[in-house]
Amino acid sequence: MENVNVLISGASVGGPALAYFLNRYGFNVTVVERAPHLRPGGQAIDVRAAALDVVEQMGVLDEMRRLRTDIRGMSIVDASGKELYRTTEHTFTGGVIANSDVEILRDDLCSLIYEAGGDGIEYLFDDSITSITQDEHTTRVTFENRAPRDFDIVVGADGLHSNVRRLVFGPESQFIHHLGGSYMGVFTAPNFLDLDHWQVYHQNEGAGGIIMSVRDDTELRVYAGFFAEEPLDYDYRDLAAQKRIIADRLANAGWEFPNALKYMWDAPDFHFDSASQIRMDSWSRGSVVLLGDAGYCGSPLSGQGTSMALIGAYVLAGELKAAGGDHVAAFAAYEKELRGFIERNQDIALANVEERSARAEALADRSEAEIAQEMGEQGDHERFRDVVTSYSLKSY
């Protein structure tokens, strides 16, 4: 497939994973990324079941396990810091601790996949696609900072707010579905709480979140979230405005959030977004195809975004290999193989939203301690288990 040129937009998880496999299969691969380098920060993410097989085939499973967050448990506290609930059996971010899943920081996983790709993959950092024009034989792509180029296949692996999806399929509003009014900002802070492989949850009147220690307790990742009755109108590229939204919404959150937010203003890795899904009737149009969150974001409420991206990358690369680079046949096979699995994963998030709403109504008149106990014991720790383990990778 040395004459098949593939452009991938996005250098988070799915894009570099797809680049890895396509490069091994003999495709000429270029990855374009708007950021000047791999983006730092992000949530602690989970790699589960068949996705573990994907990273094992990439040769990074052992290193990924070495870099896992290794959280020992979690607490729920009130506004004064009094502990209301404690467990060493599960966490809010990773679910049940005693299983084969790997919880790792998003940027650590991205670095592993990028480095595994090697020198055979061309990366164009600090650039973005401005137009995509398809004809019978080639796809012409123009860039913000580089000369136009022709490709045989273009892949949008550029996230919830995909630029490729917008250019080829239409406005984001056609495909995005907001779930339960949840918004969250994530950033790094020093471990001013002296947490020891631990995470703490606090919420007050719909605002709060999780603070957890990472990287052998040298840092904290702060999850600062809130609920909004109506979708917010904000510029997803205006980080300063997003930080102001978090500061305003969490002004009365209590516990240590006022101190944590002091580190938000200068955090180089701040990320903010809604809990939303992308649902589409088709993931491809002509020679353009979508991967991961760009085509089928499950939202953080599914707990499966990273695993879906990794599995999607493996399957898309495998079907392109099996079809000898014929994108029409490959895209059809990719969708046939994955759509049922993706929809079941997305349904996990919908069920979680319904359960959380019902739980909030049931707990309306309970004490803070009773609410904490119920939240801790009835978390969504295993809802995804049957869906995740039901899928096995094809061999290509």
Side-chain angles (χ1 to χ4, degrees), residues 232-267:
L232 301 182
D233 182 15
Y234 68 95
D235 182 351
Y236 70 90
R237 296 203 184 280
D238 189 341
L239 298 185
Q242 294 164 27
K243 290 177 180 181
R244 289 194 294 272
I245 291 172
I246 288 288
D248 291 343
R249 295 280 182 157
L250 272 72
N252 299 314
W255 184 49
E256 292 286 349
F257 275 101
N259 290 324
L261 293 182
K262 293 176 183 177
Y263 298 101
M264 175 183 68
W265 300 106
D266 295 323

Side-chain angles (χ1 to χ4, degrees), residues 126-355:
D126 198 23
D127 211 345
S128 181
I129 297 172
T130 54
S131 70
I132 299 173
T133 306
Q134 303 183 59
D135 63 27
E136 185 179 353
H137 303 291
T138 62
T139 300
R140 168 137 293 215
V141 177
T142 61
F143 301 92
E144 286 184 358
N145 301 319
R146 289 174 171 85
R149 289 171 59 175
D150 292 334
F151 296 90
D152 300 293
I153 296 168
V154 176
V155 183
D158 44 353
L160 176 66
H161 304 293
S162 170
N163 182 43
V164 170
R165 187 184 63 233
R166 178 184 61 82
L167 290 171
V168 177
F169 296 84
E172 180 177 292
S173 59
Q174 296 182 14
F175 311 109
I176 194 166
H177 299 266
H178 297 281
L179 305 182
S182 297
Y183 290 82
M184 184 173 65
V186 183
F187 58 92
T188 294
N191 190 0
F192 67 94
L193 296 175
D194 293 325
L195 295 182
D196 181 7
H197 297 87
W198 200 260
Q199 62 180 232
V200 183
Y201 175 88
H202 170 69
Q203 181 175 298
N204 179 40
E205 297 182 354
I210 300 166
I211 300 179
M212 62 185 289
S213 62
V214 297
R215 295 192 173 131
D216 290 329
D217 301 328
T218 60
E219 298 176 0
L220 298 177
R221 282 284 159 95
V222 180
Y223 297 66
F226 61 88
F227 296 93
E229 292 186 3
E230 298 293 336
L232 301 182
D233 182 15
Y234 68 95
D235 182 351
Y236 70 90
R237 296 203 184 280
D238 189 341
L239 298 185
Q242 294 164 27
K243 290 177 180 181
R244 289 194 294 272
I245 291 172
I246 288 288
D248 291 343
R249 295 280 182 157
L250 272 72
N252 299 314
W255 184 49
E256 292 286 349
F257 275 101
N259 290 324
L261 293 182
K262 293 176 183 177
Y263 298 101
M264 175 183 68
W265 300 106
D266 295 323
D269 59 352
F270 177 84
H271 177 77
F272 174 82
D273 223 322
S274 63
S276 299
Q277 291 188 340
I278 296 295
R279 289 179 176 257
M280 305 180 69
D281 293 335
S282 175
W283 302 330
S284 65
R285 182 166 292 178
S287 59
V288 179
V289 66
L290 302 175
L291 169 66
D293 283 357
Y296 38 86
C297 178
S299 91
L301 296 174
S302 75
Q304 274 292 92
T306 301
S307 292
M308 286 194 290
L310 288 167
I311 293 169
Y314 173 85
V315 172
L316 178 55
E319 296 297 350
L320 282 166
K321 173 191 175 186
D326 178 355
H327 65 266
V328 175
F331 294 171
Y334 162 64
E335 190 151 343
K336 181 179 179 181
E337 172 66 19
L338 278 187
R339 182 164 284 276
F341 174 68
I342 294 300
E343 290 178 349
R344 291 192 297 274
N345 276 283
Q346 290 186 316
D347 287 346
I348 294 172
L350 301 183
N352 285 341
V353 170
E354 291 182 5
E355 181 175 300

Side-chain angles (χ1 to χ4, degrees), residues 98-114:
N99 61 44
S100 61
D101 302 345
V102 177
E103 183 182 59
I104 182 173
L105 295 178
R106 188 206 68 86
D107 42 355
D108 284 348
L109 178 60
C110 292
S111 294
L112 286 180
I113 297 173
Y114 171 78

Side-chain angles (χ1 to χ4, degrees), residues 365-376:
D365 298 324
R366 306 281 287 277
S367 70
E368 193 171 16
E370 290 174 322
I371 292 173
Q373 185 75 18
E374 181 74 11
M375 288 182 60

